[in-house]
Amino acid sequence: MNLTSLLALIVSSTLVYSAPLILASLGGVYSENSGVVNIGLEGIMTVGAFTSIIFNLTFAQDFGAATPWLGALVGAIFGLIFSLLHAFATINLHADHIISGTVLNLLAPPLGVFLIKAIYEKGQTPNITANFGYTNIPGLADIPVIGKIFFTNTSAPAWLAIIITVLLWWILYKTRIGLRLRSTGENPQAADTLGVNVYKMRYIGVLTSGFMAGLGGAVFAQSISGNFSISTIVGQGFMALAAVIFGKWNPIGAMLSSLFFGFAQSLSIIGNQLPGFEKIPTVYMQIAPYVITIVVLVVFLGKSVAPAAAGVNYIKSK
Amino acid sequence: MIKVSAKTKRYLVPIISVIAGFLIGAIIMLIWSYNPITAYSSMFASALGNMNGLGETIREATPLIFTAVGFAIASKAGFFNIGLPGQAQAGWLTSVWIVLANPTLPKYILLPLAILAGALAGAIVAGIAGFLRAYFGTNEVITTIMLNYIVLYLCQYLMQQVMPESLRNGADTTKDIPANGSLHLDWLSHLFGDSRINAGIFLGVGAILIYWFLMKKTTVGFEIKAVGLNPFASRYAGISAKKNIILSMLLSGGFAGIGGVVQGLGTYQNYFTQTSSINIGWDGLSVALLGNSTAIGILIASLLFSILKIGGLGMQTVAGVPYEIVSIVIAAIIFFIAIKYVFDLLFAVKKTASYKHPLKKGTEIGPNNGVDGPNIKLQKEGPVL
Amino acid sequence: MENKNTVIEMKHIVKDFNGFKANNDINLKLHKGEILALLGENGAGKSTLMSILSGLLEPTSGEIFVNGEKTNIASPTAAKKLGIGMVHQHFMLANSFTVLENIILGHETTKGPVLDIKKAKEKVLALSERYHLAIDPDKKVADITVAQQQRVEILKILYRGANILIFDEPTAVLTPQEIKEFMNILKGLAHEGKSIILITHKLEEIKAVADEVTIIRTGQDVGTYQVKDISNKRMAELMVGHAVEMKLTKRAENFGQNILEVKDLQVKENRGNLAIKGLSLSLRAGEILGIAGIDGNGQDELVEAITGLRHVDQGSVIINGQDMTNKPTRKITEQGVASIPADRQKYGLILQMSVADNLILQSYYQQPFSHHGIINFDAIKKHAKAAVKKFDIRTASSDLPTGELSGGNQQKVIIARELERGSDLIIAFQPTRGLDVGAIEYIHKQLLKERDRGKAILLVSYELNEIMQLSDRILVLHDGQKSGVVKPDQTNETELGLLMTGIQKEGQDLDQSFS
């Protein structure tokens, strides 16, 4: 294996594993910046995964190559619907954000398996035929060396996720709605007195997280697992949450962290193909994202990098 | 709005949540054309209708008692220990390993040793989060979540790569533990229709009593509660927040660890590779939330969830309803517990005495909180004087 | 009078919180270009009334006229539309946002949905120049001073085109010099045609800037007066509801040995900068040492260092002859130190716990309250019963959560706990903050009684009146250093005010200026 194809292998598998993390962590960034802690990303990803798989299995013959993309959209929409539960509970009913998020995580896997049993009469779906697979990006793939490493046989959802990252960063920091959204996570009381609709902004934050995590779950299911069972989404959502923290609640930071975690995950899988990596126990790669997140939290000490009012319920006085 | 006393309300919230949770389950069953009445009746019949079912239900409740007590202790100290699965798993693997590695030790040494080692393993995992919280202010929700996965993968690694092959059957299961390291009691198992009920339940009842005594009667419990309710005032009063944070997390993880021990030395008699966070952790969290972290509440809630889980198996066979409906019902119950604000709207607590600031609601913020409060009126109003 | 334009008129305002009338038939009239002071004690209902005016609360009954038209101010947005803006006592700013972002939030200058930062900055700078409110729009709010933050708050409402400005206790956090500057800002605003409501309980400020004063007491309207026609004493009487006699009787000095000695103390604040920079002081038995100074000049750090809550970097703290530097809080408490914290709800009490439990918060581990770690509830109850009686704590039962008590009675719980232990050193940090006159008087008397019994009292307060009335000696703290030590009968507020800004350091600065 020459260096270029070695790098190409690492890059493409990193991108494949990063894509779901980038998408879900962007959702986490939005939710937390609006002031709602969302540890339910895992559950939302599960919903995105099983709805997209059901869609994919049902409509693959109708939509052909477009199926996984439509499936991703379906997963995102159902993720958004599922996150309404978290939004309603925390924003309107003042529920504890951690408990409400835990409910999402408790609810999604059995709900998915229940429906799959009800539809397919077994606890695991068949494998999908139309998955994301690998793509050559037109134009860019022809660039010498770089084209081969980054844009040939690569993950299209990952590049889409990177584009979405830039877009969401721009919205969060450069537009009116972004400023208002961040203000409700920073000081909802101040925002309210200035006429910012705190509930609306927080709904936008949570529903964005639902959409993005649903999308992430759908991408994972349709590019990595290929089917849905109780063990499809195990820890992906929590790793996305880790990326939110490691990325300091910033979309770009979350994307870079996700890429790094995706790299660690892919190493634990393709490591034995890489010279020098085959002797390292995969456990180090598996636990790296989680250990790093703890270390990062400790190193930042109590410095308030998180939105000041994340997790704090706001009650309108009228 | 219905007026009730504060005490009645404490009972009403979990009872109504349970009923509402069952209703949600029934609605989902109706949507998919299952008969909820057949389903629920077959559930209760198979969990409680025969000695074997009863024994299995009690057996199922045993680890939940431990993990729930673990969660409750941390939550009294103000911490949300979401790392119960990892702590329990650490306890499970450790205790089984100790027993397998020392099969010749006499039972009265080996069993306590294995249980304590399991507790210690859980305590260490939770203690990391406690230590980081105490000395670096690191949010324990995040660290315990991350530790769950660290433990999950480390246990896979230890089981598959480090454990001597002589203790294993293949890569994914250990050998069964010898009798002198087991919590299995022949007479008890026979009494309950040869179910897997074991001596763990006696330890569980002991754990509940210890928890009750610790929190209600001792200065240790007083300190933990004080730190949990107001860490600033506690520190001002000379109560070491650091000490109590770490102590409560160690105790929390220790109990969770024994939850894993009773799975290993009681239920399964071995350890096998886990691919996701183990259930007794999440279920213990749910039990503690439903039981409102009280001793009696934990006991009742753990039995209720066990009825659901054991009965759910019967329900699947008899009524043909997928087992997962049980987990949906549990999640729904916890959802209703979480939105207790709705209960505040439904039930007004009868005024016991004095006037309360109208704008102050726990730690939540709203305009004008605590500023210019109408406190002084109290001296003229109210039945207090 | 008739030719004046009335911009706000509130008629017969009632606000009922579950049977408690925070406002009971209050009337208020504000004229264009004038400053109306709203005077009342803590809890009189000033903030409630202003929350109604700024759309945060809805009145139970009553009418509001803005510019002669009857209106219903349903939300902060509605208030904003009517040109009403409020500067809250606790600033409502997002600390991690820039000054500019804070000002434009909710009323952004945009091109389409995109923020137009450049144009917004021009607008804000123009306002800042016109009203002499100097700010740096690109600095983060967390990095600017309190006085600057207040200017940001004012700019926030001016930016929204407010013509009616409400200030809620605006000078509580300012230095005397900053207050002077602020008074000029207020006059300037009024001169520019803005109408201002100034919520305060400081009579001098009313005299300095206000045209009229509306006085309310326990939710009721006591009347509106022309400021030039009413004396300070009369205003105070109307506010309190009875003749005010502010003089406390103090017994002759009878000092004993040193109880507290602080030597060359150096303490850091949370961000790691020195907050106490080589401070020395001593305090004798039977003496009250007042620590005067503006909030944030090292008071918190000094008290925390003495009570073992904060690490001492250099120097020593000697209590009753024992070196207690960096000893745990519990050891220091046992050495005979009582401490009444500044924030009673955060540091003094566990509100969810019962009165009885709060009364033993430092002694639960000792006999008779517990034995070998097992709590003795009978002893705790007995102790609580006695304390409730002795300190006249008004509560239905000592089992009641402390949070259900009134502010004054909560403070009594703390006083009872701290004084009952028989400590030699009593640290009282803002002991009367937010209390009504009756409770203040009670606490002052208790402190003087302890002094006469030979206790050493360290009184840290931001209220100069309190310091002047109680202290035997006053140490003025500025920027973590001693800027002067004076006797209350040999000084006045002006001198203290200058010392508080560090202008005169024990006369040394004056000497230097001659050389």
Side-chain angles (χ1 to χ4, degrees):
Chain A
M1 204 185 290
N2 67 28
L3 187 65
T4 313
S5 51
L6 183 71
L7 285 174
L9 172 68
I10 294 173
V11 168
S12 76
S13 72
T14 296
L15 286 176
V16 167
Y17 280 93
S18 302
L21 295 179
I22 296 174
L23 295 166
S25 66
L26 289 174
V29 167
Y30 263 60
S31 181
E32 303 232 346
N33 270 292
S34 77
V36 180
V37 171
N38 192 349
I39 67 162
L41 292 177
E42 175 95 354
I44 300 170
M45 285 183 84
T46 307
V47 168
F50 82 77
T51 49
S52 67
I53 290 288
I54 291 174
F55 176 88
N56 193 309
L57 289 167
T58 315
F59 294 105
Q61 67 272 41
D62 299 326
F63 296 114
T67 311
W69 295 99
L70 292 171
L73 187 65
V74 168
I77 289 167
F78 277 93
L80 182 146
I81 293 169
F82 191 57
S83 72
L84 269 172
L85 204 60
H86 188 53
F88 186 60
T90 54
I91 300 168
N92 299 96
L93 303 180
H94 320 313
D96 183 289
H97 298 196
I98 304 295
I99 299 179
S100 174
T102 302
V103 168
L104 298 194
N105 294 336
L106 289 176
L107 188 57
L111 195 62
V113 176
F114 177 86
L115 293 180
I116 281 173
K117 278 184 181 169
I119 299 167
Y120 299 97
E121 292 177 343
K122 53 182 181 176
Q124 175 173 346
T125 67
N127 284 331
I128 55 170
T129 49
N131 56 31
F132 278 112
Y134 293 88
T135 317
N136 295 340
I137 311 276
L140 297 173
D142 303 330
I143 303 170
V145 189
I146 290 178
K148 178 143 197 310
I149 296 173
F150 291 98
F151 303 113
T152 310
N153 262 339
T154 191
S155 159
W159 286 106
L160 178 73
I162 290 168
I163 293 166
I164 294 177
T165 304
V166 176
L167 181 72
L168 288 183
W169 174 85
W170 182 78
I171 292 174
L172 196 58
Y173 289 102
K174 299 291 171 191
T175 68
R176 174 166 56 198
I177 197 170
L179 181 72
R180 292 184 174 192
L181 188 116
R182 285 186 292 130
S183 76
T184 64
E186 204 54 56
N187 189 339
Q189 204 174 352
D192 190 12
T193 57
L194 297 178
V196 173
N197 187 335
V198 177
Y199 284 12
K200 183 175 143 195
M201 287 302 134
R202 290 193 160 182
Y203 261 94
I204 291 174
V206 178
L207 297 191
T208 306
S209 81
F211 187 89
M212 295 303 294
L215 191 60
V219 166
F220 185 88
Q222 296 179 103
S223 61
I224 296 170
S225 69
N227 68 359
F228 181 81
S229 72
I230 193 88
S231 58
T232 299
I233 302 292
V234 278
Q236 298 295 321
F238 290 121
M239 203 184 283
L241 186 69
V244 173
I245 296 160
F246 190 25
K248 291 196 186 181
W249 288 267
N250 178 308
I252 305 284
M255 177 197 74
L256 294 174
S257 316
S258 297
L259 282 170
F260 180 71
F261 292 166
F263 171 68
Q265 266 196 306
S266 68
L267 275 193
S268 68
I269 288 151
I270 60 164
N272 49 6
Q273 297 177 48
L274 305 179
F277 277 97
E278 62 274 71
K279 288 207 189 73
I280 300 174
T282 55
V283 64
Y284 293 119
M285 296 302 155
Q286 287 170 322
I287 66 173
Y290 308 108
V291 174
I292 286 166
T293 301
I294 293 178
V295 171
V296 165
L297 275 180
V298 171
V299 172
F300 286 153
L301 301 182
K303 281 188 196 120
S304 53
V305 283
V312 181
N313 283 330
Y314 183 69
I315 300 176
K316 285 189 164 172
S317 58
K318 283 201 279 202
Chain B
M1 186 113 78
I2 307 156
K3 292 217 169 186
V4 295
S5 75
K7 202 172 176 184
T8 317
K9 192 176 160 191
R10 273 206 297 278
Y11 295 115
L12 273 177
V13 172
I15 290 171
I16 293 175
S17 296
V18 168
I19 294 168
F22 273 91
L23 281 175
I24 294 282
I27 291 167
I28 291 175
M29 285 189 257
L30 283 173
I31 292 173
W32 295 93
S33 331
Y34 299 108
N35 184 339
I37 295 171
T38 326
Y40 285 138
S41 58
S42 64
M43 170 188 285
F44 283 101
S46 57
L48 304 171
N50 60 69
M51 287 311 269
N52 178 284
L54 201 56
E56 280 297 312
T57 301
I58 294 170
R59 192 272 308 156
E60 180 78 20
T62 308
L64 302 190
I65 291 172
F66 284 104
T67 47
V69 166
F71 181 84
I73 290 178
S75 95
K76 287 282 180 201
F79 300 107
F80 202 94
N81 181 4
I82 207 162
L84 300 165
Q87 293 144 24
Q89 200 182 345
W92 182 358
L93 177 62
T94 305
S95 64
V96 169
W97 199 326
I98 294 258
V99 169
L100 288 172
N102 304 285
T104 52
L105 280 177
K107 184 159 192 164
Y108 60 89
I109 292 176
L110 183 56
L111 196 52
L113 179 74
I115 293 169
L116 287 177
L120 187 67
I124 289 171
V125 175
I128 293 171
F131 172 81
L132 294 178
R133 173 71 191 220
Y135 285 90
F136 300 98
T138 318
N139 183 334
E140 80 284 356
V141 174
I142 307 295
T143 41
T144 52
I145 286 176
M146 299 304 144
L147 281 164
N148 276 342
Y149 287 92
I150 293 171
V151 171
L152 180 70
Y153 292 116
L154 274 180
C155 284
Q156 278 179 15
Y157 171 70
L158 290 172
M159 164 91 209
Q160 294 169 349
Q161 314 274 332
V162 179
M163 186 182 273
E165 271 185 54
S166 57
L167 305 184
R168 296 188 268 144
N169 291 330
D172 287 328
T173 315
T174 67
K175 294 216 161 93
D176 278 358
I177 54 168
N180 54 346
S182 172
L183 288 166
H184 179 82
L185 293 175
D186 271 338
W187 63 268
L188 190 65
S189 181
H190 289 318
L191 184 66
F192 285 94
D194 287 325
S195 64
R196 290 176 292 172
I197 187 172
N198 57 71
I201 187 60
F202 304 126
L203 298 175
V205 172
I208 293 257
L209 291 175
I210 289 169
Y211 170 67
W212 174 83
F213 186 78
L214 186 78
M215 282 300 152
K216 293 278 181 194
K217 302 285 178 192
T218 69
T219 53
V220 175
F222 184 86
E223 287 190 9
I224 288 178
K225 276 187 290 186
V227 169
L229 291 170
N230 186 342
F232 306 103
S234 303
R235 202 166 155 248
Y236 224 94
I239 300 171
S240 166
K242 284 192 174 97
K243 183 191 108 183
N244 281 288
I245 289 168
I246 295 175
L247 177 70
S248 63
M249 281 304 271
L250 286 173
L251 286 171
S252 177
F255 278 104
I258 303 180
V261 171
V262 297
Q263 289 293 71
L265 307 187
T267 307
Y268 297 111
Q269 307 278 316
N270 67 8
Y271 178 85
F272 46 92
T273 296
Q274 301 294 313
T275 51
S276 63
S277 290
I278 64 177
N279 284 332
I280 59 166
W282 300 115
D283 291 336
L285 185 155
S286 305
V287 164
L289 289 174
L290 176 60
N292 200 18
S293 291
T294 63
I296 188 76
I298 287 172
L299 189 64
I300 295 169
S302 65
L303 286 170
L304 177 78
F305 282 179
S306 302
I307 291 168
L308 277 164
K309 297 198 141 241
I310 297 301
L313 295 168
M315 175 192 72
Q316 183 162 257
T317 356
V318 177
V321 182
Y323 177 74
E324 278 66 31
I325 198 77
V326 164
S327 304
I328 295 173
V329 170
I330 290 177
I333 291 172
I334 301 308
F335 181 76
F336 289 110
I337 294 280
I339 56 167
K340 51 181 179 287
Y341 173 72
V342 174
F343 295 99
D344 295 341
L345 296 179
L346 284 175
F347 304 107
V349 172
K350 281 180 202 153
K351 272 192 190 156
T352 46
S354 53
Y355 173 76
K356 258 189 185 169
H357 195 296
L359 296 172
K360 197 161 281 171
K361 283 173 183 164
T363 56
E364 295 160 326
I365 54 174
N368 195 30
N369 247 5
V371 182
D372 203 351
N375 284 337
I376 57 156
K377 276 295 273 191
L378 182 69
Q379 291 165 8
K380 287 173 194 162
E381 282 198 338
V384 183
L385 311 179
Chain C
M1 282 291 174
E2 278 71 34
N3 54 356
K4 273 194 210 167
N5 279 330
T6 303
V7 287
I8 295 270
E9 189 167 10
M10 297 177 87
K11 281 186 178 169
H12 310 296
I13 299 293
V14 176
K15 177 66 193 177
D16 190 316
F17 291 114
N18 312 322
F20 168 76
K21 288 200 171 79
N23 284 169
N24 195 357
D25 194 14
I26 294 185
N27 297 291
L28 176 149
K29 219 178 204 178
L30 175 65
H31 304 293
K32 184 167 169 49
E34 287 200 352
I35 300 176
L36 171 74
L38 183 58
L39 177 66
E41 284 196 77
N42 285 305
K46 293 170 298 192
S47 289
T48 306
L49 186 67
M50 288 303 110
S51 294
I52 290 170
L53 190 55
S54 55
L56 288 167
L57 292 172
E58 216 161 355
T60 313
S61 67
E63 293 175 323
I64 302 172
F65 296 86
V66 179
N67 297 322
E69 268 178 57
K70 189 173 175 223
T71 32
N72 169 30
I73 307 174
S75 68
T77 321
K80 194 177 78 182
K81 280 202 184 115
L82 292 166
I84 300 171
M86 180 158 176
V87 175
H88 294 266
Q89 187 178 13
H90 299 283
F91 298 150
M92 298 213 192
L93 297 168
N95 283 328
S96 71
F97 281 24
T98 64
V99 166
L100 184 71
E101 285 176 327
N102 268 291
I103 293 172
I104 65 171
L105 177 64
H107 205 265
E108 300 85 353
T109 311
T110 52
K111 279 186 226 156
V114 187
L115 296 173
D116 188 344
I117 293 292
K118 205 174 141 219
K119 208 161 143 201
K121 203 181 280 180
E122 280 166 15
K123 274 194 204 170
V124 168
L125 286 175
L127 277 176
S128 124
E129 223 157 274
R130 177 166 169 204
Y131 294 102
H132 308 290
L133 296 161
I135 43 112
D136 179 346
D138 297 321
K139 273 225 168 104
K140 282 205 171 147
V141 163
D143 300 331
I144 62 177
T145 67
V146 174
Q148 286 169 332
Q149 290 181 358
Q150 189 169 51
R151 278 180 236 150
V152 176
E153 285 282 12
I154 300 171
L155 279 169
K156 240 163 80 170
I157 56 178
L158 291 175
Y159 179 83
R160 284 161 178 74
N163 290 311
I164 299 149
L165 280 60
I166 308 167
F167 290 91
D168 189 1
E169 303 274 359
T171 58
V173 288
L174 302 181
T175 68
Q177 277 67 21
E178 284 171 335
I179 291 175
K180 225 175 233 173
E181 200 180 317
F182 177 73
M183 290 295 144
N184 285 330
I185 290 174
L186 280 189
K187 283 185 202 159
L189 288 166
H191 188 73
E192 292 268 347
K194 307 285 183 196
S195 315
I196 294 167
I197 299 178
L198 175 66
I199 305 174
T200 185
H201 61 257
K202 291 184 185 164
L203 305 174
E204 316 83 62
E205 290 172 11
I206 296 176
K207 275 287 179 191
V209 295
D211 300 291
E212 287 187 322
V213 55
T214 295
I215 305 173
I216 58 177
R217 182 171 71 227
T218 55
Q220 274 162 341
D221 191 347
V222 187
T224 299
Y225 303 85
Q226 294 293 315
V227 171
K228 60 180 193 303
D229 299 340
I230 188 168
S231 70
N232 280 3
K233 187 157 183 293
R234 183 70 192 136
M235 278 197 278
E237 283 170 5
L238 287 167
M239 168 171 81
V240 181
H242 55 80
V244 186
E245 198 217 330
M246 293 307 272
K247 277 278 171 246
L248 286 160
T249 43
K250 220 158 104 181
R251 270 200 237 166
E253 297 175 351
N254 181 20
F255 301 149
Q257 68 206 51
N258 274 353
I259 300 290
L260 170 70
E261 281 173 76
V262 171
K263 287 180 190 159
D264 299 321
L265 194 71
Q266 291 200 7
V267 184
K268 289 196 183 104
E269 38 91 292
N270 289 341
R271 281 171 292 185
N273 305 316
L274 270 189
I276 294 287
K277 304 170 176 173
L279 181 73
S280 297
L281 62 85
S282 64
L283 171 57
R284 292 163 289 184
E287 184 184 29
I288 297 183
L289 174 64
I291 304 283
I294 300 145
D295 191 356
N297 274 277
Q299 290 93 336
D300 291 283
E301 289 79 7
L302 174 64
V303 170
E304 287 172 9
I306 296 172
T307 50
L309 292 162
R310 188 174 283 274
H311 183 77
V312 174
D313 289 289
Q314 256 183 52
S316 57
V317 176
I318 293 156
I319 298 165
N320 261 336
Q322 294 263 356
D323 187 350
M324 299 309 284
T325 318
N326 286 329
K327 289 276 171 13
T329 303
R330 173 141 298 167
K331 283 274 176 307
I332 291 169
T333 309
E334 287 170 351
Q335 182 65 19
V337 178
S339 175
I340 301 163
D343 186 338
R344 79 180 77 93
Q345 300 204 330
K346 185 170 181 189
Y347 295 105
L349 296 166
I350 298 179
L351 294 175
Q352 302 92 329
M353 279 190 166
S354 68
V355 172
D357 285 349
N358 272 289
L359 283 166
I360 51 141
L361 214 49
Q362 290 109 330
S363 42
Y364 62 89
Y365 62 96
Q366 291 165 335
Q367 296 274 19
F369 306 124
S370 67
H371 186 62
H372 292 308
I374 311 294
I375 293 173
N376 179 347
F377 289 100
D378 290 339
I380 292 172
K381 212 157 193 172
K382 219 170 108 192
H383 170 257
K385 222 171 179 176
V388 164
K389 198 168 168 206
K390 184 170 171 194
F391 288 86
D392 190 27
I393 301 167
R394 313 250 169 125
T395 173
S397 145
S398 62
D399 295 333
L400 222 59
T402 318
E404 295 199 7
L405 272 56
S406 71
N409 281 304
Q410 288 180 1
Q411 191 72 340
K412 281 183 188 170
V413 173
I414 297 177
I415 302 264
R417 180 180 74 209
E418 298 301 326
L419 300 188
E420 274 296 86
R421 291 204 313 275
S423 308
D424 298 324
L425 172 63
I426 298 163
I427 300 170
F429 194 172
Q430 288 275 73
T432 58
R433 192 175 81 159
L435 299 182
D436 64 296
V437 171
I440 291 173
E441 206 179 352
Y442 175 87
I443 284 160
H444 284 173
K445 279 186 179 153
Q446 290 288 336
L447 289 176
L448 284 178
K449 207 165 91 190
E450 292 298 317
R451 164 193 179 264
D452 296 340
R453 286 175 57 200
K455 307 292 186 191
I457 298 177
L458 188 72
L459 171 70
V460 185
S461 177
Y462 307 131
E463 299 285 342
L464 273 186
N465 278 336
E466 185 167 74
I467 296 262
M468 298 275 273
Q469 279 178 42
L470 295 177
S471 308
D472 295 303
R473 258 188 318 149
I474 301 171
L475 185 154
V476 185
L477 198 61
H478 171 256
D479 192 23
Q481 285 164 315
K482 181 163 39 178
S483 67
V485 179
V486 290
K487 287 238 163 199
D489 48 3
Q490 292 162 12
T491 186
N492 53 48
E493 298 214 350
T494 318
E495 190 194 19
L496 284 175
L498 286 171
L499 285 171
M500 281 157 73
T501 48
I503 287 182
Q504 186 191 24
K505 274 189 188 171
E506 294 176 277
Q508 285 165 3
D509 286 358
L510 278 176
D511 295 346
Q512 280 160 3
S513 65
F514 287 112
S515 60

